Amino acid sequence: MGMSRSRRIRTAWLLLALVIGAAAVDGARVWQDHRWNQLIASGRVPTGTNDVPARAQFAQAHALAASGAGDAALQRYRAVQGLQADSTLSQAASYNSANLLMRQAVVVRAGAQPGNAVALIELAKEMYRDVLRADPQHWDARYNLERAQRLLADPDEQS
């Protein structure tokens, strides 16, 4: 026999309500992503709050690094690294942090006190190794680790 006409109409209304609800949730997410993109583009991502998505923190760190604010970028990348929700993003933050440290080390090494670059290079090498432990096929990290090794070889390799 089949469903009665009134039951089919109720089922259709229920399905329509579910579709409208799903569209509303999607629309809210799109609006929220658009809002975060505007904050990132203007450089106004809030600091010190737990409700900032890791992607927004990563994008802000990248923008800070591009503008020359290396220390602020490192702080943002560290915040992303501390979030275990997205290991891919955390690995990218580690890799970018190591690159920033290497850039700082090159500048310090060319300055009046080149010995101060040793700590930066060692920290960068350890971060590259962490990335490679998580993803042995990360060729950029492998290459950059080799470059860092050329700047400052490990003590056991020097003997």
Side-chain angles (χ1 to χ4, degrees), residues 19-40:
V19 168
I20 290 171
V25 169
D26 267 356
R29 285 187 182 148
V30 167
W31 176 80
Q32 188 177 33
D33 286 347
H34 178 71
R35 196 178 110 238
W36 280 115
N37 287 339
Q38 287 177 326
L39 287 173
I40 292 165

Side-chain angles (χ1 to χ4, degrees), residues 94-99 101-102 120-136 138-157:
S94 294
Y95 175 74
N96 288 357
S97 294
N99 288 343
L101 290 170
M102 284 303 297
L120 294 170
I121 295 171
E122 286 297 330
L123 187 55
K125 288 192 314 187
E126 188 56 37
M127 292 178 109
Y128 288 133
R129 287 185 185 110
D130 289 343
V131 170
L132 289 169
R133 278 186 207 101
D135 179 11
H138 197 293
W139 296 109
D140 292 336
R142 187 176 302 277
Y143 175 79
N144 289 352
L145 176 60
E146 178 63 30
R147 297 285 307 246
Q149 291 284 56
R150 288 182 187 173
L151 280 176
L152 182 67
D154 288 334
D156 57 342
E157 291 180 4

Side-chain angles (χ1 to χ4, degrees), residues 20-124:
I20 290 171
V25 169
D26 267 356
R29 285 187 182 148
V30 167
W31 176 80
Q32 188 177 33
D33 286 347
H34 178 71
R35 196 178 110 238
W36 280 115
N37 287 339
Q38 287 177 326
L39 287 173
I40 292 165
S42 67
R44 296 184 331 224
V45 174
T47 58
T49 60
N50 292 334
D51 60 340
V52 178
R55 295 175 300 153
Q57 290 185 37
F58 184 88
Q60 185 67 33
H62 183 73
L64 287 167
S67 71
D71 290 336
L74 282 171
Q75 288 177 352
R76 287 287 184 152
Y77 282 136
R78 281 191 200 112
V80 174
Q81 290 167 338
L83 303 172
Q84 297 301 319
D86 187 351
S87 63
T88 302
L89 200 58
S90 178
Q91 291 301 315
S94 294
Y95 175 74
N96 288 357
S97 294
N99 288 343
L100 277 172
L101 290 170
M102 284 303 297
R103 284 189 204 112
Q104 289 178 352
V106 168
V107 170
V108 169
R109 196 168 188 221
Q113 297 179 333
N116 291 343
V118 171
L120 294 170
I121 295 171
E122 286 297 330
L123 187 55

